[in-house]
Amino acid sequence: MVDLSLFNLSGKSALVTGGAMGLGRAMATALATAGANVAIIDVNEAVGEKTVAMIRARGVDSFFVRCDVSDQQQIERMTRAVVARFGRLDIGINNAGYGLPEGGSETLNLADWNRVMAVNLTGVFLGAQAQAQCMMRQSPIGGKIINTASMYGIIAGGNVAYNVSKAGVIHLTRSLAAEWGRYNINVNCISPSWVITPGMIETPPEVLAQIREVTPMGHVQRPEDLHGPVLFLASAASDFVTGHNLVVDGGHTVNTWFKPFTPLTRTIAPRVAPAAELAETLIDLEALNIKYPKDSAP
């Protein structure tokens, strides 16, 4: 018999970097809904506190810690604060990220390259390291570490610095999993595709339409599409899964989508209609005090 209590996180404690909005808020929400206490880690305190209020409304504890994940001292202080508040750390989600506009590698300056690597790769390592140290000291020993990678860690597109940083996250995840399994620490990563977040909200409708055309599941990815995957990786349901890169992209990376190939055609409607893609992101926009006109829906 399958035991659905494997997905129950009651009594567990978690932290989510980049947790104020977008993917981070979605993952924090999933953990809280399953019963975990969740610390929201971000540099945006105003929005982060709103997310904390939403998490507490689910009947669990939550608080905000401001932290630049590229700063080791801030990472260590933040992790200590989480353990002091919750008593232990069972789940660490390293989601904070930084991106650059598309542009040629021949003109990419070193400062931009270094900033992307500092947040997207070094920040993930520093976060995972601090989390693992806590998990190794507590009783019982162990925990779940989940890193946010990207489909651009396995295919090339967009900005080279971002691509390389996310490819690094995938192999960092494998390397740490190989080392820390002896401490009952699972280390996995999730690779999403294009996700409707505040950063994508000004994407032209024709581009969103093209994304739908080349995605087998037929819609642009939403933050809430990570609810199930993160709950699986954070719970006892994944106790024998480690070093895995869970690609959550609606089939985008398995499709030969480059022009001049014909876009995918559908005979039935996708599970998510264009108007429903924005549901969670509208909450982020409201928190940011950004008005999104209804007649601009994709």
Side-chain angles (χ1 to χ4, degrees):
M1 178 179 289
V2 177
D3 184 2
L4 294 182
S5 68
L6 288 171
F7 296 93
N8 189 334
L9 298 180
S10 297
K12 301 292 185 181
S13 298
L15 69 82
V16 181
T17 70
M21 67 181 83
L23 297 179
R25 182 175 65 80
M27 291 189 280
T29 300
L31 301 181
T33 302
N37 299 317
V38 186
I40 301 301
I41 316 303
D42 210 288
V43 293
N44 191 327
E45 184 171 359
V47 177
E49 290 290 0
K50 293 178 181 179
T51 299
V52 165
M54 294 174 61
I55 297 298
R56 287 177 177 167
R58 284 166 168 76
V60 298
D61 191 14
S62 182
F63 74 112
F64 176 83
V65 182
R66 191 187 188 284
C67 178
D68 176 351
V69 299
S70 66
D71 185 314
Q72 186 172 20
Q73 290 186 339
Q74 290 190 40
I75 284 276
E76 292 172 349
R77 284 197 299 268
M78 173 271 292
T79 309
R80 288 196 298 269
V82 173
V83 174
R85 174 70 169 252
F86 295 151
R88 60 182 288 117
L89 178 65
D90 301 291
I91 303 158
I93 299 185
N94 299 297
N95 169 71
Y98 182 78
L100 295 171
E102 291 189 20
S105 301
E106 69 277 9
T107 58
L108 178 65
N109 68 65
L110 183 59
D112 285 339
W113 169 278
N114 287 342
R115 181 58 181 164
V116 172
M117 294 300 165
V119 175
N120 293 3
L121 184 53
T122 303
V124 170
F125 168 69
L126 293 175
Q129 182 184 59
Q131 293 151 22
Q133 289 170 354
C134 291
M135 294 171 180
M136 291 173 188
R137 288 193 297 263
Q138 62 197 15
S139 179
I141 292 173
K144 302 294 181 78
I145 295 175
I146 304 165
N147 303 321
T148 299
S150 169
M151 69 174 183
Y152 282 132
I154 56 176
I155 62 173
N159 182 275
V160 66
Y162 185 85
N163 298 351
V164 172
S165 70
K166 293 301 185 178
V169 168
I170 294 170
H171 204 63
L172 172 67
T173 297
R174 295 188 183 114
S175 298
L176 298 181
E179 286 190 44
W180 294 343
R182 72 194 73 179
Y183 300 105
N184 291 337
I185 297 172
N186 301 65
V187 188
N188 294 289
C189 60
I190 296 177
S191 285
S193 60
W194 296 293
V195 184
I196 289 284
T197 62
M200 267 192 73
I201 207 64
E202 294 185 1
T203 303
E206 60 271 18
V207 174
L208 294 175
Q210 187 176 38
I211 292 173
R212 297 182 193 107
E213 286 179 348
V214 300
T215 302
M217 295 312 297
H219 67 86
V220 182
Q221 188 168 358
R222 309 160 300 163
E224 59 265 41
D225 290 321
L226 293 186
H227 285 176
V230 77
L231 181 55
F232 168 65
L233 292 178
S235 69
S238 63
D239 276 357
F240 205 59
V241 178
T242 197
H244 182 63
N245 176 34
L246 180 54
V247 180
V248 185
D249 68 347
H252 180 82
T253 55
V254 299
N255 175 35
T256 305
W257 53 272
F258 294 100
K259 293 180 179 181
F261 295 102
T262 304
L264 298 172
T265 57
R266 299 187 64 87
T267 56
I268 62 171
R271 292 191 179 101
V272 179
E277 292 168 350
L278 278 171
E280 286 294 311
T281 300
L282 290 175
I283 297 174
D284 287 334
L285 293 176
E286 182 179 358
L288 292 165
N289 295 317
I290 297 175
K291 292 184 178 181
Y292 187 76
K294 293 182 180 180
D295 57 4
S296 297

